[in-house]
Amino acid sequence: MAEPNWARHALRAGSFEYRRSVRAVRKDTGRLLLLAFSVLLPTLLLGGMAALFAPIIRENVPDGHAVPAALRGGATLFWLFGVFLLGQRTSSAHSEPVAAPFVLTTVSPRTAVVGGIVAESLRVLTYVLPTAALVTLVGAYAFATPAPLLTVPLVGCLFVASAVVAGRLAGYSTAWLVARVPFVARHRTGLSALVAIIFFGLYMLFQLPSIPYSLDPALLSAVPLGWIVELLAVGTPIAFSPVHAAGGLLTVAAVLVGGGWAAQRIAASLWFGDEVDPTEGDDAAVTTTERPAVGALERAISPLSVPLVTGPVRQVARWTLLRARREPQRLNFLMVPVFGGISGLGSMVLQGTVSPSAFGPAVALIAGWVGGAAFALNPLGDEGPVLPMTLTTVSGRTYVRGLLAPALLTVPTVGALTLGVAVAGGYGLGSALALAGVGCLLTAVGAALAPAIGIWFPRYSAIRIGNSDDVRPPRLLAGALHTALVFVPGAMLVGAVVAPGLVRLVVSGVGAVPGFLLGLVAGESGGIAVIASSFDAIGAGIRSLPLGVVQFGVGGLLAAGGVLAGWIGYREAVRRFDEHEPY
Amino acid sequence: MPAIETTDLTKQYGDTVAVAGLDLAVDAGSVFGFLGPNGAGKTTTMRMLTGLVRPTRGRATVAGADATDRDALRPRIGYLPEEPPLYDHATAYEQLDYAAGLRDLDPERARERIDDLLDRLDLPPEDASGRIADYSKGMRQKVAYVQAVLHEPDVVFLDEPTSGLDPRAARTLRELIAELADGGTTVFLSTHILPVVEEVADTVGILYDGELVAEGAPADLQRRAETGEARSLEDAFLELTTDAVDAAPGEGDG
């Protein structure tokens, strides 16, 4: 039962939450820049296309044409994609209201749910605002009518609101299953990965017409939700189907009302019910034994183990592994390059623009980076309130070695994975082994660099990931710096193995680029011209080097530089830890 | 030789003086009650003494080690900060096993000590096997206390150790603190709960606005209060931390 004036309370709660999240983004410069980039880049691309095509459309308006079924189906596909992302976001980050003890003892679940929907809708609308504004203006210009000034914002708002409501419903339902069903609770990581693979697999079938068993988006035009795009044709020369438009509006209304009602019921059950214990019946869970305390950490990370190191270093390594296992949300940041890189490459391979052999070098690079970045890019922040205890208990050398150990344990896995993928991609054994070696080296160097960078640029403030307000992923700056330091030389090293000619060309830029630039300002003679020609000669000299020399020379230099950088990183991390003042 | 000794210990953050010229000597094997209102500089002092923060000026030694030399300090001290330093995702057993391993303690001895202390603090094995994230404040405090004294340090720093404990556990903890001191451990105890200090502290120091405005046995402080009548430590505390600004520095020092 909702309290009186619940709608007003929900609007107030939603706008308060929205302002809070905007302030949080504004305070985090790195996140703000990333968001601005991700919003403005597609807007600029779209703007460029609009500048090219809008005048042509204006001159040749397709009078009387109906809205194509593929557009309605595409809208449905896009809506489903949005629902999936918003559902993931809800189950992982918003399954409870922020400051739940306050909210749930102050307002009804309906108010809390609707407030959350309002806040999320405002966030999404803010995100799409520049693109939507551009589409609105371009529509008005291209069709020479003011109708899009009304229809585009209307359709956009309904589209976003319905996707948010459906996403909340899906997210609360997922969180409810995790909270109530022991099997789901125990296997939630695997199950969510399976759901994501199935969803994105289906999505790709609709998106990539060139792949086998691909599906036509027009098939989804039967789903009435996408019919709402028919409203965009109102007031334009495009023919408008009132049946489709009314069907779309009714479906959206049903999603908003029905979905909102169901989301409220499930959320109330989720928030006020008892959670199951995911370790119930789990033999690996700690049980009361004769010696419960001693060896508890070793049992907790089982079947993993930390060989080779002993004493306090091993304890730090064990805890680092346990934290990664118990708090996997903190590793989410690794998914960006993994999914972004591999799925992007996979898409290009499927479309035939890139050879499958590209997977070998890509795995060497990405797996090497992941191995290095996984455990130690925010060590001080990861410690949370335990940091004073850690600083007063272990030395920097012990601590940093403990952080390095789990990452170094991944070296054989990275090597084997790279070798397997490279051989499967068609490389000879020599090249495959060299790529595996590069992967191993990058893992080790990345592991050694990560604590230094992480301690230098720590993130202490927790952000909300998963159902925890207490997750501290690495700072964007730390992630970017580590990525640049591993990826750029790593790409050169991989290139030295599989494309030495390209590396030779890039390295020759050391001479060619300054030579070219100086040549622009120099005359045909004089001091600058002499210097410019000297640089040109250096570039030409490098370009004339045999490829074997490039492979071993550049590769050797980069490998040695990596080892040196890793050593310096390790020393720096130890020094910074020993000198760190947490207050 | 005092277990804790500070000379002109000062910490400044910009223009703000958190601790001003603290001169202190705490005898080995004693319990030193460190009192002061919120923001007086108690926690900053503890952080300097545990090596977590470098003093702006002055010097401090703890169990013979310079407080800026963390390597020398680590094996000698235990520290229970106000916020229990525990990992939410661990169980109490895992946390204590971790701490024992970091200290390189003998496993058999660590097991006995953990079992004994948890038993004394009434934290049964079934609770100690659960995740710390699900613990009450009092349970967290108990685990954090065990962690701080597990390695039998020479000096232990306790910041509000009875916070969140039920009366029975609080009494047990007071007994444990007294036992620690009887065993030769020096206890540096910061708390707002004055009866705790009255009961267990051998010496009390009152910090106000970064300065030590009084030091002595609890009974001495009571007597030293202006009226001279037998009053509680609470009265003395309130009087000293209200009038200290107007009084000459060190007027109340013992």
Side-chain angles (χ1 to χ4, degrees), chain A residues 279 286-288 290-300 311-313 315-319 322-323 326-327 329 382-396 398-399 468 470 576-583, chain B residues 11 13 47 50-55 70-71 73-75 77-79 81 83-104 106-108 110-112 114-115 118 125-126 128-129 131 147:
Chain A
T279 62
V286 177
T287 52
T288 309
E290 196 183 335
R291 295 185 171 194
V294 173
L297 207 51
E298 188 183 359
R299 284 195 297 276
V313 173
Q315 285 297 88
V316 176
R318 281 173 174 164
W319 175 250
L322 185 63
R323 178 163 46 213
R326 296 249 170 100
E327 207 179 20
Q329 317 92 299
D382 283 338
E383 289 295 304
V386 190
L387 184 57
M389 192 279 280
T390 309
L391 288 169
T392 54
T393 306
V394 292
S395 66
T398 301
Y399 186 70
S468 170
D470 204 28
R576 285 186 179 276
F577 181 88
D578 281 334
E579 294 177 3
H580 182 71
E581 292 187 21
Y583 308 104
Chain B
K11 182 65 188 177
Y13 293 101
R47 286 171 180 168
T50 51
L52 290 170
V53 167
R54 284 182 168 268
R70 279 189 190 162
D71 287 338
L73 211 53
R74 277 187 203 106
I77 64 164
Y79 179 36
E83 185 180 0
L86 305 172
Y87 297 110
D88 272 0
H89 293 277
T91 68
Y93 281 141
E94 289 161 3
Q95 175 86 40
L96 296 172
D97 179 39
Y98 177 56
L102 289 186
R103 300 276 189 190
D104 233 351
D106 172 61
E108 189 61 30
R111 181 186 70 83
E112 283 172 11
I114 290 168
D115 287 350
L118 290 181
E126 55 269 28
S129 303
R131 296 275 170 91
Q147 180 173 263

Side-chain angles (χ1 to χ4, degrees), chain B:
Chain B
M1 183 184 172
I4 302 171
E5 192 166 20
T6 70
T7 310
D8 190 29
L9 192 66
T10 302
K11 182 65 188 177
Q12 267 181 267
Y13 293 101
D15 293 334
T16 307
V17 181
V19 178
L22 185 67
D23 294 316
L24 201 64
V26 179
D27 291 335
S30 68
V31 178
F32 183 80
F34 200 40
L35 303 178
N38 295 331
K42 301 189 300 295
T43 301
T44 303
T45 303
M46 291 183 108
R47 286 171 180 168
M48 284 193 283
L49 295 177
T50 51
L52 290 170
V53 167
R54 284 182 168 268
T56 310
R57 194 174 67 236
R59 186 163 185 272
T61 56
V62 177
D66 191 296
T68 57
D69 182 357
R70 279 189 190 162
D71 287 338
L73 211 53
R74 277 187 203 106
R76 296 173 162 88
I77 64 164
Y79 179 36
L80 169 60
E82 195 169 359
E83 185 180 0
L86 305 172
Y87 297 110
D88 272 0
H89 293 277
T91 68
Y93 281 141
E94 289 161 3
Q95 175 86 40
L96 296 172
D97 179 39
Y98 177 56
L102 289 186
R103 300 276 189 190
D104 233 351
L105 302 184
D106 172 61
E108 189 61 30
R109 195 165 162 69
R111 181 186 70 83
E112 283 172 11
R113 193 153 167 76
I114 290 168
D115 287 350
D116 175 51
L117 287 167
L118 290 181
D119 189 44
R120 295 279 305 274
L121 286 164
D122 203 18
L123 195 73
E126 55 269 28
D127 285 346
S129 303
R131 296 275 170 91
I132 289 168
D134 300 326
Y135 282 13
S136 67
K137 173 102 170 66
M139 288 163 76
R140 286 166 177 261
Q141 200 70 9
K142 291 175 186 177
V143 178
Y145 173 78
V146 176
Q147 180 173 263
V149 301
L150 189 58
H151 56 297
E152 299 176 79
D154 296 327
V155 179
V156 62
F157 295 88
L158 305 175
D159 199 348
E160 297 290 353
T162 55
S163 168
L165 294 182
D166 61 60
R168 184 188 300 278
R171 170 173 290 184
T172 307
L173 192 66
R174 291 199 297 273
E175 290 168 8
L176 286 170
I177 290 170
E179 282 174 27
L180 274 178
D182 290 344
T185 299
T186 308
V187 181
F188 193 93
L189 171 68
S190 169
T191 179
H192 286 112
I193 305 173
L194 300 182
V196 174
V197 175
E198 268 182 308
E199 185 182 329
V200 299
D202 301 302
T203 315
V204 174
I206 298 179
L207 197 68
Y208 184 76
D209 216 9
E211 294 184 22
L212 192 69
V213 294
E215 189 186 357
D220 288 344
L221 287 186
Q222 286 170 27
R223 276 196 298 276
R224 221 176 284 160
E226 275 184 353
T227 61
E229 294 167 8
R231 302 188 314 166
S232 68
L233 185 60
E234 185 178 346
D235 289 333
F237 172 81
L238 290 173
E239 192 168 286
L240 285 162
T241 56
T242 305
D243 296 335
V245 174
D246 303 323
E251 195 174 282
D253 290 6

Side-chain angles (χ1 to χ4, degrees), chain A residues 53 97 280 423 479 488 522 580:
Chain A
F53 295 110
E280 210 170 80
V423 168
V488 176
H580 182 71

Side-chain angles (χ1 to χ4, degrees), chain A residues 87 144 159 161 173 199 220 274 286 310 328 400 427 429 465 478 495 503 529 583:
Chain A
F159 204 76
S173 303
F199 178 84
L220 292 174
D274 291 331
V286 177
T310 56
V400 173
Y427 284 103
L429 190 60
I465 296 183
V503 171
Y583 308 104

